[in-house]
Amino acid sequence: SVGPTGGIIALAGVDGIETDVRIDGEGRLVIKHDPIADDSPNLLLEEFLEWAPSSILLNLEIKDPRAVTPLVDMVNKHNDKQYLISSFHHRAAWKFNKKMPDIECGVIISCFPLFFTLLEQMIPATFSHIIWEYEMYDSHLASKLHKYEHFLYNVPHNDIRHNVDGIISDHV
């Protein structure tokens, strides 16, 4: 359990928290991985940001492209935090980055690219991170994209055999 409604989380040894951001039926930013059901309780992103320590990286994954503008407002309001904004919706992360160029942004890669040049072209030059799905990570491609920090997600039982800059895991 995390944050203000879920009690205390042990943060020893944790460098950051990754969470998903959506918009609920009332237009509020909420933390939610799955699509929002009308009757499901949701943790407001603002409550989470008020709780989150400023000493750790907050990787906010945009799940709903409509969240970009309100997320810009929220990050401006809570500007004492360390952020990484990422998304499978690369255009949503790019739009955020255009509005807040000083905040680190990254793309999430969940398929193996057929051509290196296409992969390289789809990542905006202003982005700082590539977040790879564990099974799609290619150390050869990553070495060619050395200007970015490389994170892995869906890592089975913290398999850290790859030389990457970060691991996003449910297994702390």
Side-chain angles (χ1 to χ4, degrees), residues 102-116:
D102 293 335
I103 301 293
E104 293 186 343
C105 290
V107 295
I108 302 175
I109 305 293
S110 62
C111 61
F112 190 80
L114 293 176
F115 303 102
F116 170 73

Side-chain angles (χ1 to χ4, degrees), residues 31-46:
I31 293 177
K32 188 78 168 178
H33 175 75
D34 298 318
I36 297 171
D38 291 337
D39 59 347
S40 65
N42 297 304
L43 176 62
L44 295 177
L45 178 62
E46 184 156 25

Side-chain angles (χ1 to χ4, degrees), residues 15-155:
D15 297 321
I17 297 174
E18 186 273 350
T19 193
D20 302 332
V21 178
R22 292 186 180 272
I23 292 188
D24 70 6
E26 298 176 33
R28 301 173 302 178
L29 291 171
V30 296
I31 293 177
K32 188 78 168 178
H33 175 75
D34 298 318
I36 297 171
D38 291 337
D39 59 347
S40 65
N42 297 304
L43 176 62
L44 295 177
L45 178 62
E46 184 156 25
E47 292 175 331
F48 172 74
L49 293 178
E50 288 170 358
W51 167 85
S54 59
S55 60
I56 63 172
L57 178 68
L58 302 176
N59 177 5
L60 304 180
E61 180 186 331
I62 302 170
K63 287 286 192 181
D64 182 342
R66 299 174 303 154
V68 171
T69 299
L71 184 57
V72 166
D73 295 339
M74 188 69 66
V75 167
N76 270 322
K77 182 176 180 181
H78 295 274
N79 60 8
D80 61 327
K81 310 290 182 187
Q82 301 174 56
Y83 293 103
L84 169 60
I85 306 301
S86 62
S87 187
F88 286 102
H89 303 280
H90 298 174
R91 188 169 178 82
W94 176 77
K95 285 181 178 181
F96 182 94
N97 186 240
K98 295 289 275 182
K99 293 179 179 188
M100 297 199 78
D102 293 335
I103 301 293
E104 293 186 343
C105 290
V107 295
I108 302 175
I109 305 293
S110 62
C111 61
F112 190 80
L114 293 176
F115 303 102
F116 170 73
T117 53
L118 292 177
L119 174 63
E120 188 176 37
Q121 291 172 0
M122 69 183 238
I123 304 170
T126 56
F127 279 24
S128 56
H129 289 73
I130 300 174
I131 302 170
W132 300 83
E133 199 279 326
Y134 175 80
E135 297 295 329
M136 299 301 119
Y137 178 74
D138 181 308
S139 60
H140 179 69
L141 286 180
S143 69
K144 289 183 173 185
L145 297 163
H146 56 83
K147 79 175 217 169
Y148 302 100
E149 289 192 40
H150 297 270
F151 286 12
L152 295 179
Y153 74 95
N154 284 346
V155 178

